Amino acid sequence: MEDSRSSVGKRAGMVGIFTNLLLVVIKLIAGILSASVSITADALNNLTDATSSIVTLVGFKLSELPPDHEHPYGHARFEYVSGLVVAMLIFVIGFEMMMGSVKKIINPVDTKITPLILGILCISVGIKAGLYLYYKKKGEEISSSVLLASSVDSKNDAITTFVVLISMMAERYFQMRIDGFMGVAVAVFILYSGIILAKETVSPLLGEGVNEELKNVLEQYILSREKVAGCHDLMVHDYGPGKRFASIHIEMDKEEDPIVCHEILDKIERECLKKYGVNLVVHYDPIVTDDPELERLHEIVLSLLKMRDERLTIHDFRMTMGKENVNLLFDIVLPQELLGQEKEIQTSLEKALNSIGDKTYFTVITFDIGFNS
């Protein structure tokens, strides 16, 4: 699967290099012949795309490197690093084009628009539209964020070239000197594309939270397995496309045979890797399921928390009994919007418990931050 994915990515990179370099050549010729900064800016925009394809190709190649002593989780993040390099190049070219376009606004020069130049722009729009469809298909085929980003970039380039085409027709047929302004518009678009690309590549490098769709799929699969009573604390670490590692706590009845539970959990780990491409590590949580008093208190605590915020959930619920006191020990999954309210939540919960019970209740709470709550 990984070899196929890499080969598709490298082939798409080669197509992007050839196509964008072709567009660079014909647009530069058109820009020089017409003395149009907006066409030249559009040509340099395609040069960034060609560079992007080269870096993408290198990124896919480097991401194939096997794990080593210094990088035990592999090198798949090279795909993200390549996107960051492209973003930096886009910033440089966008800034240079902005300066050149502003100069033409201050000191305008007549453009020379011919039917040949208009035809070149029309062909360029068609080529970019075709490249958009190609990248989109291949990106969806291998679930590559880089190729899908390239598809969006190609679609935007087709729109940009179409706008430049309209401006050239306006200059030719209506004598409107808007070439410098269109150059600025294209430069702004190039800079904006660089910002978006940088954000998309920096975010996974910094460490994103678990994808909500993946979270739901994994939890639904795990909860459907035999003898699983519940699960919580799912954490996913992304080391690049196809290199995801995760950990989760899975609850099972403490009366179940530990050997049987171990076999079930082992199978879950293997199936998650096979079905979803996730290297899963499971923490086994034995829980009490036959204590009516524990279950009653569990329901009371949960209902009190739900009255405060519907998103609050609990797990690892235990208790220790004294003659007059009851200690309740459990974890609360706290939405990030409620950070800083831990003490208040614990105090109000204990007050509510002691107002409805005939014993004194104390709580020992561990707060887990639920970034996807």
Side-chain angles (χ1 to χ4, degrees):
M1 174 63 183
E2 196 62 31
D3 290 340
S4 174
R5 185 182 190 280
S6 180
S7 64
V8 170
K10 289 186 287 186
R11 187 162 55 249
M14 291 298 295
V15 170
I17 293 170
F18 174 79
T19 304
N20 284 301
L21 286 179
L22 175 63
L23 289 172
V24 170
V25 172
I26 63 175
K27 284 183 182 178
L28 276 179
I29 293 173
I32 293 171
L33 293 177
S34 63
S36 167
V37 293
S38 61
I39 295 179
T40 303
D42 201 23
L44 291 179
N45 185 30
N46 290 140
L47 181 59
T48 66
D49 295 335
T51 306
S52 172
S53 297
I54 293 172
V55 177
T56 298
L57 182 63
V58 173
F60 271 106
K61 186 64 178 176
L62 292 176
S63 67
E64 290 183 295
L65 294 173
D68 54 33
H69 180 70
E70 294 181 346
H71 307 93
Y73 299 106
H75 299 78
R77 279 185 176 173
F78 267 121
E79 189 172 326
Y80 299 148
V81 175
S82 66
L84 187 58
V85 173
V86 171
M88 295 169 63
L89 293 173
I90 289 175
F91 282 132
V92 173
I93 292 177
F95 179 76
E96 290 296 325
M97 283 313 308
M98 177 70 74
M99 298 300 294
S101 300
V102 170
K103 288 179 181 178
K104 185 164 186 181
I105 293 174
I106 298 173
N107 300 300
V109 178
D110 290 334
T111 54
K112 304 171 185 177
I113 311 301
T114 65
L116 175 62
I117 290 171
L118 296 178
I120 289 175
L121 293 177
C122 287
I123 293 172
S124 298
V125 172
I127 292 175
K128 270 297 181 179
L131 196 58
Y132 155 68
L133 295 174
Y134 174 76
Y135 275 143
K136 187 172 186 295
K137 178 182 178 182
K138 296 302 179 182
E140 291 174 346
E141 180 181 321
I142 63 173
S143 298
S144 169
S145 59
V146 172
L147 292 184
L148 289 174
S150 296
S151 74
V152 174
D153 187 42
S154 296
K155 179 180 70 174
N156 292 338
D157 287 345
I159 296 172
T160 301
T161 304
F162 181 74
V163 172
V164 171
L165 172 62
I166 297 300
S167 72
M168 293 300 97
M169 294 176 68
E171 290 224 2
R172 175 178 171 83
Y173 298 109
F174 301 101
Q175 287 72 52
M176 298 171 61
R177 288 192 169 186
I178 59 174
D179 184 50
F181 295 98
M182 291 308 303
V184 169
V186 173
V188 169
F189 173 76
I190 292 173
L191 291 171
Y192 175 76
S193 299
I195 293 171
I196 296 299
L197 181 57
K199 180 181 178 181
E200 291 176 347
T201 53
V202 168
S203 185
L205 285 172
L206 291 176
E208 293 180 326
V210 57
N211 177 275
E212 191 67 24
E213 182 180 353
L214 176 63
K215 175 179 181 290
N216 292 335
V217 167
L218 289 176
E219 288 184 347
Q220 288 174 13
Y221 165 74
I222 290 170
L223 291 173
S224 69
R225 297 302 91 190
E226 180 187 7
K227 300 185 184 302
V228 172
C231 62
H232 55 87
D233 288 352
L234 173 64
M235 298 181 66
V236 178
H237 305 277
D238 187 348
Y239 288 90
K243 296 291 183 181
R244 290 179 298 194
F245 296 81
S247 61
I248 193 169
H249 291 222
I250 295 182
E251 300 170 353
M252 291 180 161
D253 190 336
K254 70 179 183 65
E255 300 299 330
E256 295 287 352
D257 185 342
I259 300 298
V260 174
C261 291
H262 183 268
E263 290 177 353
I264 293 173
L265 297 179
D266 267 356
K267 185 176 181 181
I268 288 174
E269 291 176 339
R270 291 193 299 270
E271 289 297 308
C272 281
L273 179 59
K274 181 179 178 181
K275 290 176 178 289
Y276 310 113
V278 176
N279 294 273
L280 185 67
V281 176
V282 174
H283 174 80
Y284 168 44
D285 274 350
I287 61 172
V288 177
T289 60
D290 57 357
D291 187 334
E293 179 62 12
L294 181 67
E295 184 64 26
R296 185 183 73 86
L297 289 171
H298 180 279
E299 291 301 322
I300 291 174
V301 169
L302 184 58
S303 63
L304 289 172
L305 289 172
K306 292 289 185 183
M307 290 172 61
R308 182 184 184 93
D309 192 306
E310 187 63 31
R311 296 172 297 173
L312 291 172
T313 60
I314 59 177
H315 57 83
D316 288 346
F317 195 86
R318 308 177 303 282
M319 71 175 180
T320 59
M321 302 287 292
K323 290 183 178 180
E324 297 181 358
N325 300 334
V326 177
N327 293 321
L328 300 177
L329 306 88
F330 55 94
D331 294 10
I332 294 180
V333 180
L334 190 71
Q336 56 183 321
E337 293 83 2
L338 300 184
L339 280 174
Q341 301 183 31
E342 293 90 338
K343 185 63 177 178
E344 181 186 347
I345 291 172
Q346 183 171 6
T347 301
S348 62
L349 178 60
E350 285 187 357
K351 183 178 179 180
L353 283 169
N354 289 313
S355 69
I356 61 176
D358 56 355
K359 293 189 177 183
T360 301
Y361 292 94
F362 296 101
T363 60
V364 179
I365 303 174
T366 299
F367 288 92
D368 300 328
I369 309 305
F371 289 103
N372 295 90
S373 299

